[in-house]
Amino acid sequence: MTSESLKDVVYRRILHDVIDGVYTIDSVISEKKIAEEMHVSRAPVREALIELCVRDVLHSIPRQGYALVRYTRQNLQDILQYREILEGSCLSGCFDRITPTQVTRLQSIVEEEYIFLSKHDIWDFYNHTFNFHLALASFYENEFVYRQLTTALNTCLRIYLQLFWQKT
């Protein structure tokens, strides 16, 4: 059993806070403050923040801290177009090989989506939608494509939250 590194724990916490709206587009995220809040040294915090920059979640502001990457509607259109190309190619490449078991799996995901949609739980609905698209991509049996789609879906989530989610 592999234990999770401290950097990974900090990374997940910061990413969760980004998705949960703890940090707004105007927030400056401080390495020192996170280290103090999490009771860890600054090294794993710095590593996590750098990883979040590499993944286009944050960007560095020299001598100040880190801020969320600001997205536009054009960014959303671009990533949706990318997903259309990627997912369409996956589906056309594996359509003839999809098994009845895989179809049943997709039907189950869709049925669960409608149940959650009727309860107005946006997070469960998003997770089921995410799972549906990744299930389709998994049928293509290409790990690189699967990872790229995962990244694209996560980026879409951050864009939707930034552009459309209104905290009350």
Side-chain angles (χ1 to χ4, degrees):
M1 186 161 116
T2 308
S3 64
E4 191 174 35
S5 74
L6 196 49
K7 176 207 121 187
D8 292 336
V9 171
V10 173
Y11 174 92
R12 275 189 308 101
R13 163 78 182 277
I14 296 169
L15 185 58
H16 182 271
D17 286 350
V18 166
I19 291 171
D20 236 19
V22 172
Y23 303 114
T24 66
I25 197 67
D26 298 319
S27 297
V28 176
I29 300 168
S30 162
E31 179 182 305
K32 180 180 177 185
K33 185 177 177 189
I34 291 172
E36 289 171 356
E37 288 173 357
M38 294 189 71
H39 306 289
V40 298
S41 70
R42 289 174 71 164
V45 174
R46 185 177 312 112
E47 290 173 13
L49 290 167
I50 290 169
E51 180 70 20
L52 287 160
C53 288
V54 167
R55 295 180 185 242
D56 289 329
V57 175
L58 303 176
H59 67 92
S60 176
I61 305 170
R63 293 180 288 289
Q64 290 184 26
Y66 297 82
L68 297 176
V69 170
R70 188 177 299 264
Y71 291 107
T72 65
R73 288 181 184 266
Q74 184 60 51
N75 295 132
L76 180 59
Q77 288 175 332
D78 290 347
I79 199 160
L80 290 174
Q81 183 180 34
Y82 170 74
R83 283 186 49 208
E84 182 180 338
I85 293 166
L86 183 65
E87 293 181 65
S89 294
C90 284
L91 188 56
S92 68
C94 70
F95 189 78
D96 294 343
R97 299 178 303 185
I98 294 178
T99 67
T101 302
Q102 290 170 322
V103 171
T104 301
R105 180 175 162 206
L106 291 175
Q107 286 173 328
S108 173
I109 294 170
V110 169
E111 287 169 6
E112 289 177 21
E113 273 186 59
Y114 284 111
I115 291 169
F116 284 111
L117 182 60
S118 68
K119 294 180 182 179
H120 303 289
D121 187 332
I122 191 68
W123 292 111
D124 282 331
F125 178 72
Y126 180 81
N127 286 330
H128 283 85
T129 300
F130 190 90
N131 291 337
F132 178 83
H133 289 271
L134 289 179
L136 274 176
S138 73
F139 302 161
Y140 191 62
E141 298 178 348
N142 181 316
E143 187 61 34
F144 181 79
V145 168
Y146 187 88
R147 285 193 315 267
Q148 294 304 307
L149 181 57
T150 301
T151 299
L153 287 165
N154 284 323
T155 303
C156 277
L157 172 61
R158 290 193 313 274
I159 294 172
Y160 287 134
L161 290 172
Q162 193 179 106
L163 294 178
F164 305 113
W165 185 256
Q166 300 296 320
K167 293 283 184 180
T168 55

